[in-house]
């Protein structure tokens, strides 16, 4: 009787960074080969200024043949040898995600749609909003737990403590600020370092403050854009993950800019979230390395 597991393989994504030196790729390839690994794809980049080497490897091993602990042990030995920072993730495992939103819901709706059709490998575990549930009555939240946490100067610390609890209780690996119009405190930003993505309504650096599209209109800009970046204590200065732009002409009104801007925000945020879930983003100081498809 044949074994139904025969021929089945488990797929993983390995990302790493370390000081560049000869032999890194060879050592990784040899280690995976010795464990029965089959490399399906590999991307690498040597940043010459810092002499840091970055790599993303997609590989598979026979199901039941190699325990994850054995993989991690082999990678830990390589890490010690090359002074390497690394991460290993099962390819088919969806990313547990908390989505935070304010009144503008276009990015929330877009993320949920892409999740439902299987375009984004996320598992929404909570939605946090600073507006009540009725604000989003027209949206099918599909049973995702909804948390109404209004923020004022007096309640900010307590509400952020509750946000941190939700992230911890749900095991969230990613927090997405889907046009969440509240500034996270320095402590909250630091707590979520490397796993909190914000969508900014400008092609950074750009027009800051209130009514950014009106500011852009007043200056007669010919391009508007949006920027997805990691959240850091430095407001809107976090490492950039993805950006896009749209052409503007003299005939466009502020309302036209808002309409086009929302479309850019949706697609830029979706791409940034997808890159994160596919382990394509590796932090690099104030920048990121993004291995695009």
């Amino acid at each position: 009787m044949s074994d139904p597991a025969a021929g089945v393989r488990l797929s993983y994504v390995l990302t790493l960074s370390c000081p560049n030196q000869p032999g890194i790729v060879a050592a990784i390839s040899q280690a995976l080969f010795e464990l029965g690994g089959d490399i399906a794809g590999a991307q690498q980049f040597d940043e010459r200024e810092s002499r840091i080497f970055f790599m993303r490897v997609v590989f598979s091993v026979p199901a039941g043949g190699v325990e994850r602990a054995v993989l991690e042990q082999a990678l830990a030995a390589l890490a010690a040898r090359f002074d390497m920072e690394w991460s290993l993730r099962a390819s088919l495992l969806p990313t547990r995600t908390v989505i935070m939103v304010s009144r503008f819901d276009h990015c929330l709706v877009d993320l949920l749609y892409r999740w439902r059709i299987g375009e984004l490998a996320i598992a929404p575990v909570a939605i946090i909003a600073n507006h009540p549930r009725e604000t989003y009555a027209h949206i099918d939240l599909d049973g995702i737990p909804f948390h109404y946490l209004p923020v004022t100067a007096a309640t900010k610390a307590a509400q952020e403590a509750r946000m941190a609890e939700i992230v911890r209780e749900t095991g969230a690996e990613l927090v997405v600020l889907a046009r969440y119009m509240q500034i996270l405190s320095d402590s909250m930003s630091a707590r979520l370092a490397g796993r909190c993505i914000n969508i900014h309504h400008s092609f950074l650096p750009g027009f800051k403050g209130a009514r950014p599209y009106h500011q852009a209109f007043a200056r007669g800009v010919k391009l508007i854009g949006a920027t997805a970046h990691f959240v850091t204590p430095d407001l809107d200065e976090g490492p950039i993950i993805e950006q896009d732009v749209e052409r503007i002409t003299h005939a466009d009104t502020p309302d036209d800019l808002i309409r086009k801007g929302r479309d850019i925000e949706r697609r830029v945020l979706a791409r940034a979230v997808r890159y994160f879930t596919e382990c394509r983003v590796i932090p690099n100081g104030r920048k990121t390395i993004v291995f695009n498809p």
Side-chain angles (χ1 to χ4, degrees), residues 95-107:
T95 302
R96 298 176 66 82
T97 304
V98 169
I99 304 174
M100 298 176 62
V101 64
S102 291
R103 183 168 60 88
F104 297 116
D105 58 18
H106 53 289
C107 287

Side-chain angles (χ1 to χ4, degrees), residues 175-254:
V175 175
V176 180
L177 306 187
R179 287 307 303 270
Y180 180 70
M181 305 305 287
Q182 293 288 329
I183 299 173
L184 299 185
S185 68
D186 288 357
S187 60
M188 189 67 175
S189 298
R191 184 192 298 266
L192 299 176
R195 56 180 177 136
C196 184
I197 296 175
N198 182 44
I199 183 66
H200 192 278
H201 48 225
S202 289
F203 190 79
L204 292 175
F207 302 103
K208 298 183 179 181
R211 298 164 65 86
Y213 293 116
H214 293 75
Q215 294 182 52
F217 173 73
R219 291 286 299 276
V221 301
K222 297 298 182 278
L223 289 173
I224 60 171
T227 301
H229 63 91
F230 282 122
V231 172
T232 66
D234 295 321
L235 182 63
D236 297 329
E237 298 290 337
I240 292 171
I241 303 170
E242 177 65 348
Q243 294 182 293
D244 205 348
V245 295
E246 194 82 36
R247 294 295 304 183
I248 299 299
T249 76
H250 61 275
D252 285 309
T253 67

Side-chain angles (χ1 to χ4, degrees), residues 77-216:
L78 289 176
R81 175 180 170 187
F82 292 105
D83 191 20
M84 180 186 299
E85 294 184 13
W86 61 278
S87 175
L88 181 69
R89 182 175 181 82
S91 297
L92 299 180
L93 192 65
T95 302
R96 298 176 66 82
T97 304
V98 169
I99 304 174
M100 298 176 62
V101 64
S102 291
R103 183 168 60 88
F104 297 116
D105 58 18
H106 53 289
C107 287
L108 169 65
V109 171
D110 186 72
L111 290 174
L112 293 179
Y113 172 74
R114 295 175 191 267
W115 161 60
R116 288 191 180 104
I117 66 173
E119 184 178 317
L120 284 181
I122 60 174
V125 292
I127 294 173
I128 297 175
N130 61 338
H131 290 264
R133 178 65 181 87
E134 302 78 61
T135 306
Y136 318 96
H138 58 291
I139 305 174
D140 178 8
L141 299 184
D142 220 355
I144 304 167
F146 181 90
H147 304 269
Y148 171 42
L149 301 179
V151 176
T152 66
T155 65
K156 186 178 182 71
Q159 298 294 52
E160 284 200 345
R162 178 59 187 139
M163 293 173 195
E165 285 181 3
I166 293 169
V167 171
R168 183 176 65 253
E169 291 168 356
T170 59
E173 304 158 279
L174 173 64
V175 175
V176 180
L177 306 187
R179 287 307 303 270
Y180 180 70
M181 305 305 287
Q182 293 288 329
I183 299 173
L184 299 185
S185 68
D186 288 357
S187 60
M188 189 67 175
S189 298
R191 184 192 298 266
L192 299 176
R195 56 180 177 136
C196 184
I197 296 175
N198 182 44
I199 183 66
H200 192 278
H201 48 225
S202 289
F203 190 79
L204 292 175
F207 302 103
K208 298 183 179 181
R211 298 164 65 86
Y213 293 116
H214 293 75
Q215 294 182 52

